[in-house]
Amino acid sequence: IDTIEDDELRTDIIEAWDRTLSETDISLEEFPWSLKVQSELGLDDLYLVDHINDVAEISVRNAQYIAKRMNLDVTLDVVMAGALVHDISKPYEFTEGKDRVNEFLGHPYYGIYISERAGFPIEVTHIVLSHTDQTPIEPKTLEAKIVSKSDALAADALRNQG
């Protein structure tokens, strides 16, 4: 998160995660990456924080390579911010009493609410919504495509551990 140059965006991300963790009473270090997938594969020691860090690392490296190799404008702050918050609403899916979030919305849709409440730029909110095929919204920006592909790659790598 220290690589995000926009101080306000960095602060907004920290505050959004603080709010999410306090409202869900979840410890990020102990929160699983995906209960369903982990149960199916018998992998107990995969955590959301590790997945988010993986997606951030892969996303930034891909963005830097694309920017340099293909001479394209890639906004690294948006890539990093999107990677850090793409799954910010997952704790709400698995919090007692909030099971209707998962049943009716799913994490990308509920993530829009969290993004808007946090004041994230629309480009970051778009990443939260479009990072997964759980919505019909396709990534429209290069930054969103990078985070979406990086998330899929990180998730596939975890699935292959099983």
Side-chain angles (χ1 to χ4, degrees):
I1 195 161
D2 292 337
T3 64
I4 296 176
E5 293 179 7
D6 183 326
D7 292 336
E8 184 177 347
L9 180 57
R10 188 177 340 102
T11 299
D12 289 346
I13 291 169
I14 292 167
E15 289 175 357
W17 269 111
D18 285 345
R19 186 179 307 117
T20 294
L21 297 176
S22 69
E23 289 178 355
T24 60
D25 197 29
I26 286 176
S27 165
L28 192 56
E29 292 78 20
E30 298 172 2
F31 189 74
W33 163 63
S34 172
L35 291 173
K36 181 182 176 192
V37 173
Q38 288 176 234
S39 176
E40 290 171 358
L41 298 176
L43 299 170
D44 296 328
D45 60 345
L46 298 176
Y47 300 99
L48 182 60
V49 68
D50 297 322
H51 171 67
I52 290 168
N53 287 333
D54 291 343
V55 173
E57 180 77 22
I58 294 166
S59 295
V60 168
R61 288 178 185 256
N62 283 335
Q64 289 171 331
Y65 179 81
I66 288 168
K68 181 179 178 185
R69 174 71 174 92
M70 298 173 188
N71 199 29
L72 294 173
D73 282 336
V74 180
T75 307
L76 289 177
D77 273 8
V78 171
V79 170
M80 179 57 86
L84 291 174
V85 300
H86 77 281
D87 279 344
I88 194 167
S89 58
K90 274 196 172 184
Y92 290 97
E93 286 191 55
F94 303 104
T95 301
E96 189 174 329
K98 297 192 186 298
D99 55 342
R100 295 172 69 86
V101 167
N102 186 34
E103 180 183 351
F104 291 109
L105 294 178
H107 78 276
Y109 291 106
Y110 198 67
I112 297 170
Y113 166 72
I114 296 167
S115 295
E116 287 297 308
R117 187 169 66 164
F120 296 153
I122 192 71
E123 295 84 0
V124 174
T125 300
H126 174 65
I127 290 171
V128 172
L129 181 61
S130 68
H131 80 275
T132 175
D133 61 6
Q134 292 179 3
T135 76
I137 306 301
E138 294 290 325
K140 292 181 177 35
T141 65
L142 182 55
E143 292 83 359
K145 290 174 184 178
I146 289 169
V147 174
S148 177
K149 301 285 185 192
S150 299
D151 178 49
L153 179 60
D156 285 346
L158 290 174
R159 285 185 184 96
N160 285 323
Q161 288 183 15

